[in-house]
Amino acid sequence: MKRTLSISLAVILAIAVFATAYAAKVGEPAPDFTAKDSNGKTVKLSDYRGKFVVLEWHNQGCPYTKKHYTSGNMQKTQAQWTAKGVVWFTVISSAPNTQGYVTADAENEYMKQVNAKPTAALLDPDGDLGHLYGARTTPHMFIIDPKGMLIYNGAIDSTRSDDPNDIPKSTNYVNEALTEAIAGKPVSTPATNPYGCSVKYKQ
């Protein structure tokens, strides 16, 4: 039994190391991708070259995601930046029969109910896009600049909790990074450790 557990742990660690090695890295070109949105449209990252792009990993059943949506914080952040020409993709990598999995119709209804403001919601039930970027949690945020370079990878803010009351006293790393980058300044905090629920990938 101990040997079996040791082998299993070794396999898990090897997979984690492999995923980390090939995950998107700040300062390098963001991996291109093609995905379907909740309206059936094909979305290709390279089509948005010349714009800032935000990727937000999402799971509507996760308490940490709920923190930012029940408070309106995520919708406010989305609206603030899409109004300035930033492209914002919510990405759902939950596999069927796992927490956060949704059909296209269910996701559209959810976005309407919570008044979400992304450019589009990308459905990734096989986890291809999530694994390409090394998305680990919901939420997990990535920012890509107009040249296609990854300039931020990490948490949405500085307080690792699921309590909406913590939002006002937290640093919103996405706001900070976009403000600096759009002004032509280097991003002062380009990487942080994301927090939230684990992404419910297909096994």
Side-chain angles (χ1 to χ4, degrees):
M1 174 66 79
K2 288 183 178 179
R3 184 178 179 185
T4 301
L5 289 174
S6 297
I7 293 173
S8 298
L9 180 59
V11 171
I12 291 170
L13 289 173
I15 292 171
V17 169
F18 178 85
T20 301
Y22 288 91
K25 294 181 176 65
V26 171
E28 296 183 0
D32 196 12
F33 62 81
T34 300
K36 288 280 189 181
D37 73 12
S38 58
N39 293 310
K41 179 183 176 182
T42 298
V43 172
K44 189 174 178 62
L45 177 63
S46 57
D47 289 343
Y48 296 90
R49 184 65 62 89
K51 293 180 176 289
F52 284 94
V53 176
V54 175
L55 303 179
E56 169 219 340
W57 260 263
H58 179 89
N59 170 351
Q60 61 180 259
C62 171
Y64 296 90
T65 301
K66 290 180 179 179
K67 164 188 174 180
H68 292 287
Y69 275 88
T70 58
S71 65
N73 182 56
M74 191 68 79
Q75 299 94 312
K76 179 182 177 181
T77 307
Q78 292 167 345
Q80 175 183 346
W81 293 108
T82 56
K84 296 179 180 179
V86 173
V87 175
W88 188 297
F89 293 127
T90 295
V91 185
I92 303 167
S93 294
S94 294
N97 301 314
T98 68
Q99 183 193 62
Y101 171 77
V102 290
T103 62
D105 288 343
E107 176 59 14
N108 286 337
E109 181 60 27
Y110 168 81
M111 288 193 293
K112 182 178 178 181
Q113 288 177 355
V114 300
N115 198 29
K117 301 295 185 182
T119 304
L122 307 183
L123 304 182
D124 180 43
D126 289 332
D128 295 337
L129 178 50
H131 287 305
L132 182 65
Y133 275 77
R136 292 157 44 197
T137 62
T138 51
H140 190 162
M141 313 297 295
F142 297 83
I143 302 175
I144 302 158
D145 75 8
K147 295 180 180 179
M149 304 297 288
L150 190 69
I151 60 171
Y152 179 75
N153 174 349
I156 184 172
D157 67 18
S158 59
T159 305
R160 304 170 65 82
S161 83
D162 62 2
D163 185 354
N165 293 317
D166 289 330
I167 292 173
K169 61 186 179 184
S170 304
T171 298
N172 186 314
Y173 292 125
V174 174
N175 284 343
E176 182 180 75
L178 284 170
T179 298
E180 292 170 338
I182 289 174
K185 300 176 182 178
V187 175
S188 56
T189 307
T192 61
N193 191 25
Y195 69 88
C197 304
S198 62
V199 178
K200 311 306 183 194
Y201 285 118
K202 182 177 180 180
Q203 298 299 312

